[in-house]
Amino acid sequence: MKYSLVISTSILLSTFTTTLAAPVNPSTATVPAASSDEGDEYIIVLAPAEKRPWGQVFTDMGYNMTSRAHDISVNKHTFGTNYGDLRTFGKEFRAFTTHMKSTDAASLASLPNVLSIEKDVKWTVKVQRYNDTFGTHNVKDNKWSFPIVKRQAQQDQLNQVVQQSTAPWNLARISTAQPLTSNGREVIDLKFNYQFERSSGLGVDVYMLDSGINTQHVDFGGRAKMVFTAFGNDITDGHGHGTHTAGTVGSTTFGVAKNVNLLGVKVLDSQNAGSLSSFVAGVDFALSSHLQRRTQPGFKGSIINMSLGGPGFAQPLFDALQRATQAGMHVAVAGGNDNTDSCQFSPAQFSQSLPIINVGATNVVDQKWEGSNFGKCIDIHAPGEGIVSTSNKGPQAMEPMSGTSMACPAVAGAMAVELFKNPSLDPASLKKLIVSKALPGVLQGVTGGNVLLNNGLRAVG
């Protein structure tokens, strides 16, 4: 089988060493039905037994290959780290993307060295901006300062409980057992009380698979940096979604875990859209970074926050997250914002077979947020309506947004808090702990995951 395509126009996802478990679907490579004769982008995953150099693989598949094709392809999905040199963790995962007709894809799927072929779909992540004019407000107006934790601090200092009286409502709700009362406060006011442990998230890396992070925002205190982009050299957050979710995980004013390392993995563009291949590449980058970091002093654990997703079952993404969790990474995913069954979406539906946490969203009166997905695939709920957090509009800007995208990072932050205290927790054990600490019987109108995130400190909000 011969193709006219020059391989330098395709994107290699990774040449990465890790554990590759058997796929959920039948082991024979399958390809979705044809959409047009003009062709589509496909993700081709090689079988674990295929060890030959890329040049030999492509030649046998009938591709023409330029001398620099491999380097060009890898760099297109990599920023700041070469993740093709690890040889210490299980079997290799190797995949690439290319444009071809469905008939050619079907022929390629029959090759013994091809594990799976799937269309490289593009997903746009929905988010609701609560009030566009609010983005002109600045963090400096809030007058809140968190005492920075030093790694050399004594244990009694690390265990100290801190109260923030200038918190957004979502932080207050996860640190109290009682429903919030307004007391004259609006949902987007920063006048709520949040209690948390001073050590919250120290030494934990949180990989934000999102639209990027405004790393110059003062509320990140220098703990946020961009480490990967699927868009050439673009490491900016052109949408704001990524900066907002990162703020809920670990910014000084709006964060659940105020000491975490926030690592931006840019897989969404300025329209908050990204391809399946980019998501897979982002997960595998995070995994390779985790494997390098896990033996370093002060390291407590790695979390992937995925406030993104799309319809259907995405086998390559399932495989990537399976490898990550098998390597000890912890994962929080958004349940989706279509007010329908969360089990219809990836990666949300993976929570039924992988130790990841799928999060639904609630409002300030403990009801299901109107757009939140629901069903048995939801593990837990967290506040998701009118959530104020960091913005991409300036170094001090903040704004409110709504969605399961805003609920998911609150859970990721709670996971980071627990990992500092017990870094030996495996993903299944941490998921069980987070769900067990959540409040039962307080939510209204939810189906599935009928518990509300809580840190156990039981403050007065």
Side-chain angles (χ1 to χ4, degrees), residues 14 25 49 64 74 86-87 93 95 107 111 145 177 236 247 256 274 289 316 337 402 413-414 421 434:
S14 61
N25 291 342
N64 296 317
V74 170
L86 300 175
R87 294 291 182 270
F93 166 73
S107 297
L111 297 178
S145 178
T236 62
V256 174
S289 180
N337 303 331
S402 299
K421 294 184 286 187
I434 294 295

Side-chain angles (χ1 to χ4, degrees), residues 302-306 321 324-325 329-333 355-357 415:
S302 298
I303 297 168
I304 297 175
N305 186 88
M306 299 184 73
L321 288 172
T325 55
M329 299 194 79
H330 307 270
V331 182
V333 302
I356 67 176
I357 303 180
M415 296 164 76

Side-chain angles (χ1 to χ4, degrees), residues 25 84 98 134 155 200 244 304 331:
N25 291 342
T98 189
F134 190 88
Q155 192 62 44
S200 58
H244 194 282
I304 297 175
V331 182

Side-chain angles (χ1 to χ4, degrees), residues 278-331:
S278 296
F279 301 157
V280 174
V283 172
D284 274 324
F285 172 86
L287 174 52
S288 68
S289 180
H290 163 75
L291 295 177
Q292 293 174 326
R293 281 274 293 140
R294 62 181 180 173
T295 59
Q296 295 178 3
F299 174 72
K300 296 293 186 178
S302 298
I303 297 168
I304 297 175
N305 186 88
M306 299 184 73
S307 291
L308 51 78
F313 182 86
Q315 185 71 52
L317 186 57
F318 177 92
D319 292 341
L321 288 172
Q322 185 176 56
R323 289 189 298 274
T325 55
Q326 287 175 344
M329 299 194 79
H330 307 270
V331 182

Side-chain angles (χ1 to χ4, degrees), residues 250-298:
S251 67
T252 299
T253 303
F254 315 102
V256 174
K258 302 181 186 296
N259 298 287
V260 296
N261 303 313
L262 294 162
L263 306 176
V265 179
K266 183 177 172 67
V267 296
L268 298 174
D269 61 18
S270 59
Q271 304 304 311
N272 226 30
S275 65
L276 176 58
S277 61
S278 296
F279 301 157
V280 174
V283 172
D284 274 324
F285 172 86
L287 174 52
S288 68
S289 180
H290 163 75
L291 295 177
Q292 293 174 326
R293 281 274 293 140
R294 62 181 180 173
T295 59
Q296 295 178 3

Side-chain angles (χ1 to χ4, degrees), residues 384-398:
E385 182 177 25
I387 305 304
V388 182
S389 187
T390 43
S391 170
N392 67 332
K393 296 177 181 177
Q396 297 176 329
M398 57 187 184

